[in-house]
Amino acid sequence: DLKQLAKETFDRIVNGLASADEPPIPGAPGPEPVSLDEPTEPREPLPPKRDQSAPATRTATGVETGAPVSARAQKETYLTTSSGVRLRDTDHSLKAGERGPTLLQDHHLREKITHFDHERIPERVVHARGAGAHGVFVGYGTADPVCRAAFLREGAETPTFVRFSTVLGSRGSADTVRDTRGFATKFYTDDGNFDLVGNNIPVFFIQDGIKFPDVIHAGKPHPDREIPQAQSAHDTFWDFVSLHTEAQHHTMWNMSDRGIPRSYRMMEGFGVHTFRVENAAGETSLVKFHWKPQLGVHSVTWEEAQLISGVDPDFHRRDLYDAIEAGAYPAWELGLQVFPDNPEQMFEGIDLLDPTKMVPEELAPVQPVGLMVLTANPTNFFAEVEQIAFHVGHLVPGIDATDDPLVQARLFSYVDTQLTRLGGPNFNQLPVNRPHTEVNDMLRDGFHQHAVHAGVAPYRPNSLDGGCPFHAGADVDGSFEHLAVRVAEGTKVRAQPASYDDHFSQARLFWLSMSGVEQEHIVRAYTFELGKCYEQVIKERQLQCLANIDPVLCEEVATGLGLPVPAPTIALVDPEPSPALSQVGEAWPPDGRTVGIVVDPDGDLSDVEDVRTAVLAAGMVPLVIAPHGGTVGEGITVQRTFATARSVEFDVLLVAGCPVPAPDALPLRDAKAGAADATELDPRVVLLIEECFRHAKVIGAWDDGGAALDAAGCSGGLGIVRGDDGAAVLAQVQEEMALHRVWDRFGGDPVSS
Ligand code: HDE
């Protein structure tokens, strides 16, 4: 029972030890002084953690041993050197006398420091900042008519590992910056690994991989001062995208709410390129891969994104980890858009090999072919999330790449970068990268070789190893061959087809498909980003691009920048909008949302425990917010204090009381003088309510909570639910939060409609 498991895990993780019989009294002296001595007995049992996802009984090269091969280190009681010698002391270096110099012969000191000196590996040149989790994919069998890949067959279960990421920032940068998000999945299939290395945006900045260093150099911090970190709001980025206008479509997605997701759990994923697939009868089709999140597609507001970057830079990482730990497993359906494999590789006038174009779902519906659920956090971040190595060329029988010039360059790039990043050619032997199937290659030696190859003939043909390994012929199940399609003929050229010349029409399609409030966000995003540029000429050139996308968009941004509105240089055509592109308007279940519950320890707490239980039962995460930590009332655990809580952490706010200012809300001297005004609401609760209101969140209040809303100046309006009974308020709140935000609260004219 997942819900029960979720509750138990939540109680263990979030509530910690707070279920003790006698709740501690805040501020009271403790019974016994706490010992500062270091523990001398082993702590049994060791905290439970799953093993790294290495195949249970196979060695690095897939040799079946019949016995468990554990990738888990650090599990015994006593400290050893790396060569397994037990150590009596790791706290003092070996010296010539207590006050004398350290001796060179201290091997343990040198081993310890040397290893530490080399703990860091180069971060990814792009997508350095990320988070990951283990999962399982189950095929529906619905892909059979177009694709024979075994992992898509009905009921086939395949372990997966997913890494989400931002693109531009360094490894320690904030999660909620405006950027594209990576969505890379490794399927450990029975036919070997299949990597779907995608993004949360279905199009890319460039049509040809040879431009990748250009777009990334433009987006990364300026080379002289190395600022700004993880931002596109600077001159070099806008310089490039306004000159290299094929980037305009992707840039439009970045400026939309897609650039600031609420959670990795609430993002779509896209394979971006068109792939070629083959069915059992040998017929090929062209497809685009889509991931559809079961929690819907949601975003934070730009103000929230900026606040979170300071308040909790690990917001998305924490969100993913907490959700999985609490048993609220995020899930995505994998879907295919299917197109006939015609020689032109075009569909409805859209060039399927041009990665700056997508195909509206209204023209080619996304057909679900399987479900992925993320069920386990990494055991060790470095070993798994940092060392995972994806490759677009990791394909399995039934799936192949196309001639899209972007994917062609990617086929080269990934191993190349990993050779440096992971220090040699054997990184596929790392636990997280190992296939869960047998590996029988003729690759040998190299840095960090972990396998002990037993044969003597790593070449073909041979007779010494009995002729092994043999080719797997066409009759052998699960053997891979590139699909034998005809290659376009032509002369060698550095050029691209005329169908790649249209850089603006799909950016316009996207803009016209947005709801009013989404358009408003896009206008504000462009105005913010260009407002951060110094060079006038860059702003003017980008306005020209906007004029070629939409006159209203251009005018609004120009007004914000205080610049003239240029006329378009191309004829604007009105495409049929694609409602599927909009995030707003669809109702979603409340699962996985975070609910803040403000309580007043001195007020009526009778409903709080029931509301908390009901929130949890609905698949959401309740976090009780009180003036102090520990417990309130009869053992209600406090997860956030007024000092640690900030509105941006919650999707919904419930206010169950009207807490007066706690001493730490005021300058110490006033508190000492007893200056707290008992009738006043704690200013941090005022801020909580105000921000939730401004960010269009649903707010519920009962009992004295109503007075708190009044005191914060947010008494009523759309999405404000007030009542006498906590359960009834929560029920209505749940209905109202189906749309994620209450945008109608602010009325007003949308930018264009
Ligand atoms: Fe990547 N990309 N990329 N990329 N990419 C990398 O590989 C590259 C592109 C994507 O979580 C690197 O191991 C080139 C498109 C993701 O580990 C590197 C081109 C899409 C990740 C690389 C592209 C992506 C990467 C850096 C243009 C969406 C993170 C570290 C030809 C479909 C994977 C690494 C992870 C990572 C190169 C374009 C997605 C340098 C040359 C288009 C999600 O090899």
Coordinates of all heavy atoms in Angstrom, one line a residue, residues 598-600 604 653-659 679 681 685-686 689 699-717 720-726 729:
V598 N 0.1 27.1 8.9 CA 0.5 28.0 9.9 C -0.3 27.8 11.2 O -1.5 27.8 11.1 CB 0.4 29.5 9.5 CG1 0.7 30.5 10.6 CG2 1.2 29.8 8.2
V599 N 0.4 27.5 12.3 CA -0.3 27.3 13.6 C 0.1 28.3 14.6 O 1.2 28.8 14.6 CB -0.2 25.9 14.1 CG1 -0.7 24.9 13.1 CG2 1.3 25.6 14.5
D600 N -0.8 28.5 15.6 CA -0.5 29.4 16.7 C -0.5 28.5 17.9 O -1.5 27.9 18.3 CB -1.6 30.4 16.8 CG -1.4 31.3 18.1 OD1 -0.4 31.1 18.8 OD2 -2.3 32.1 18.4
D604 N -6.3 27.6 19.1 CA -7.0 26.4 19.0 C -6.3 25.4 18.0 O -6.3 25.8 16.8 CB -8.5 26.7 18.6 CG -9.3 25.4 18.5 OD1 -8.8 24.3 18.8 OD2 -10.5 25.5 18.1
L653 N -1.2 27.6 1.0 CA -1.0 27.9 2.4 C -2.3 27.8 3.2 O -3.4 28.2 2.8 CB -0.6 29.4 2.5 CG -0.1 29.8 3.9 CD1 1.2 29.1 4.3 CD2 0.2 31.3 4.0
L654 N -2.3 27.1 4.3 CA -3.4 27.0 5.2 C -3.0 27.8 6.5 O -1.9 27.6 7.0 CB -3.7 25.5 5.6 CG -4.1 24.6 4.4 CD1 -4.3 23.2 4.9 CD2 -5.3 25.1 3.6
V655 N -4.0 28.6 7.0 CA -3.7 29.4 8.2 C -4.7 29.0 9.3 O -5.9 29.2 9.2 CB -3.8 30.9 7.9 CG1 -3.2 31.7 9.1 CG2 -3.0 31.2 6.6
A656 N -4.1 28.3 10.3 CA -5.0 27.8 11.4 C -5.0 28.7 12.6 O -5.7 28.3 13.6 CB -4.6 26.4 11.7
G657 N -4.2 29.7 12.6 CA -4.2 30.5 13.8 C -3.6 31.9 13.5 O -3.2 32.2 12.3
C658 N -3.6 32.8 14.5 CA -3.1 34.1 14.3 C -1.9 34.4 15.3 O -2.2 35.1 16.3 CB -4.3 35.1 14.5 SG -3.9 36.8 14.0
P659 N -0.7 33.9 15.0 CA 0.3 34.0 16.0 C 0.9 35.4 16.1 O 1.2 36.1 15.1 CB 1.4 33.1 15.4 CG 0.9 32.5 14.1 CD -0.3 33.3 13.7
T679 N -1.6 42.0 20.0 CA -2.7 42.0 19.0 C -2.1 42.0 17.6 O -2.9 41.8 16.7 CB -3.5 43.3 19.2 OG1 -2.6 44.4 19.0 CG2 -4.1 43.4 20.6
L681 N 0.0 40.6 14.3 CA 0.3 39.3 13.6 C 1.8 39.3 13.4 O 2.4 40.3 13.0 CB -0.4 39.2 12.3 CG -0.2 37.9 11.5 CD1 -0.6 36.7 12.2 CD2 -0.9 38.1 10.2
V685 N 4.6 36.0 9.3 CA 3.4 35.4 8.8 C 2.7 36.3 7.8 O 2.1 35.9 6.8 CB 2.4 35.0 10.0 CG1 1.1 34.4 9.4 CG2 3.1 34.0 10.9
V686 N 2.8 37.6 8.1 CA 2.2 38.6 7.1 C 2.9 38.4 5.8 O 2.2 38.3 4.7 CB 2.5 40.0 7.6 CG1 2.0 41.0 6.6 CG2 1.8 40.3 8.9
I689 N 1.7 35.2 4.0 CA 0.4 35.3 3.4 C 0.4 36.3 2.1 O -0.1 36.0 1.1 CB -0.6 35.9 4.4 CG1 -0.8 34.9 5.5 CG2 -2.0 36.2 3.8 CD1 -1.6 35.3 6.7
I699 N -5.2 30.0 -0.7 CA -5.0 30.2 0.7 C -6.3 29.8 1.4 O -7.4 30.2 1.1 CB -4.6 31.7 1.0 CG1 -3.4 32.1 0.2 CG2 -4.4 31.8 2.5 CD1 -3.1 33.6 0.4
G700 N -6.1 29.0 2.4 CA -7.3 28.6 3.2 C -7.1 29.0 4.7 O -5.9 29.0 5.2
A701 N -8.2 29.3 5.4 CA -8.0 29.7 6.8 C -9.3 29.3 7.6 O -10.4 29.4 7.0 CB -7.8 31.2 6.9
W702 N -9.0 28.9 8.8 CA -10.2 28.7 9.7 C -9.8 29.1 11.1 O -8.6 29.5 11.3 CB -10.6 27.2 9.7 CG -9.5 26.2 10.2 CD1 -9.4 25.8 11.5 CD2 -8.5 25.6 9.5 NE1 -8.4 24.9 11.6 CE2 -7.8 24.8 10.3 CE3 -8.1 25.7 8.1 CZ2 -6.6 24.1 9.9 CZ3 -7.0 25.0 7.7 CH2 -6.3 24.2 8.6
D703 N -10.8 29.1 12.0 CA -10.6 29.7 13.3 C -9.9 31.1 13.3 O -10.3 31.9 12.4 CB -9.7 28.7 14.2 CG -10.5 27.5 14.6 OD1 -11.7 27.6 14.6 OD2 -9.9 26.4 14.8
D704 N -8.9 31.3 14.1 CA -8.2 32.6 14.1 C -7.4 32.9 12.9 O -6.9 34.0 12.7 CB -7.3 32.7 15.3 CG -8.0 32.7 16.6 OD1 -9.3 32.9 16.5 OD2 -7.4 32.5 17.7
G705 N -7.3 31.8 12.0 CA -6.6 32.1 10.7 C -7.3 33.2 9.9 O -6.6 33.9 9.2
G706 N -8.6 33.3 10.0 CA -9.3 34.3 9.3 C -8.8 35.7 9.7 O -8.6 36.6 8.9
A707 N -8.6 35.8 11.1 CA -8.1 37.1 11.6 C -6.7 37.4 11.0 O -6.3 38.6 10.8 CB -8.1 37.1 13.1
A708 N -5.9 36.3 10.9 CA -4.5 36.5 10.3 C -4.6 37.0 8.9 O -3.9 37.9 8.5 CB -3.8 35.2 10.4
L709 N -5.5 36.5 8.1 CA -5.7 37.0 6.7 C -6.1 38.5 6.7 O -5.6 39.3 6.0 CB -6.8 36.2 5.9 CG -6.5 34.7 5.7 CD1 -7.5 34.2 4.6 CD2 -5.1 34.4 5.3
D710 N -7.0 38.8 7.6 CA -7.4 40.2 7.7 C -6.2 41.1 8.1 O -6.0 42.1 7.5 CB -8.5 40.4 8.8 CG -9.8 39.6 8.4 OD1 -10.0 39.4 7.2 OD2 -10.6 39.3 9.3
A711 N -5.5 40.6 9.1 CA -4.3 41.4 9.5 C -3.3 41.6 8.4 O -2.5 42.6 8.3 CB -3.7 40.8 10.7
A712 N -3.2 40.6 7.5 CA -2.2 40.7 6.4 C -2.8 41.4 5.2 O -2.1 41.6 4.2 CB -1.8 39.2 6.0
G713 N -4.1 41.8 5.3 CA -4.6 42.6 4.2 C -5.1 41.7 3.0 O -5.2 42.2 1.9
C714 N -5.2 40.4 3.2 CA -5.7 39.5 2.1 C -6.9 38.8 2.6 O -7.0 37.6 2.6 CB -4.6 38.5 1.9 SG -3.0 39.2 1.4
S715 N -8.0 39.6 2.9 CA -9.2 39.0 3.5 C -9.9 38.1 2.6 O -10.5 37.1 3.0 CB -10.1 40.2 3.9 OG -9.4 40.9 4.9
G716 N -10.1 38.5 1.3 CA -10.9 37.6 0.5 C -10.5 37.8 -1.0 O -9.5 38.4 -1.3
G717 N -11.4 37.2 -1.8 CA -11.1 37.2 -3.3 C -11.0 35.8 -3.8 O -11.1 34.9 -3.1
I720 N -9.3 32.4 -2.1 CA -9.2 32.5 -0.6 C -10.4 31.8 0.0 O -11.5 32.1 -0.3 CB -9.3 34.0 -0.2 CG1 -8.2 34.9 -0.9 CG2 -9.2 34.1 1.3 CD1 -6.9 34.8 -0.4
V721 N -10.1 30.7 0.7 CA -11.2 29.9 1.3 C -11.2 30.1 2.8 O -10.2 29.9 3.5 CB -10.9 28.4 1.0 CG1 -12.0 27.5 1.5 CG2 -10.7 28.2 -0.5
R722 N -12.3 30.6 3.3 CA -12.4 30.8 4.8 C -13.6 29.9 5.4 O -14.5 29.7 4.7 CB -12.7 32.2 5.1 CG -11.5 33.1 4.6 CD -11.8 34.6 4.8 NE -11.9 35.0 6.2 CZ -11.4 36.1 6.7 NH1 -10.9 37.0 5.8 NH2 -11.5 36.4 7.9
G723 N -13.4 29.5 6.6 CA -14.5 28.7 7.2 C -14.2 28.5 8.6 O -13.2 29.0 9.2
D724 N -15.1 27.7 9.3 CA -14.9 27.4 10.7 C -14.2 26.1 10.9 O -13.8 25.8 12.0 CB -16.2 27.4 11.4 CG -17.0 28.7 11.2 OD1 -16.3 29.7 11.2 OD2 -18.2 28.7 11.1
D725 N -14.3 25.3 9.9 CA -13.9 23.9 10.1 C -12.7 23.5 9.1 O -12.8 23.7 7.9 CB -15.1 23.0 9.8 CG -14.8 21.6 9.7 OD1 -14.1 21.1 10.6 OD2 -15.2 20.9 8.7
G726 N -11.6 23.1 9.7 CA -10.4 22.8 8.9 C -10.6 21.8 7.8 O -10.2 22.0 6.6
V729 N -12.6 23.4 4.9 CA -11.7 24.4 4.2 C -10.7 23.6 3.3 O -10.6 23.9 2.1 CB -10.9 25.3 5.2 CG1 -9.8 26.0 4.5 CG2 -11.9 26.2 5.9

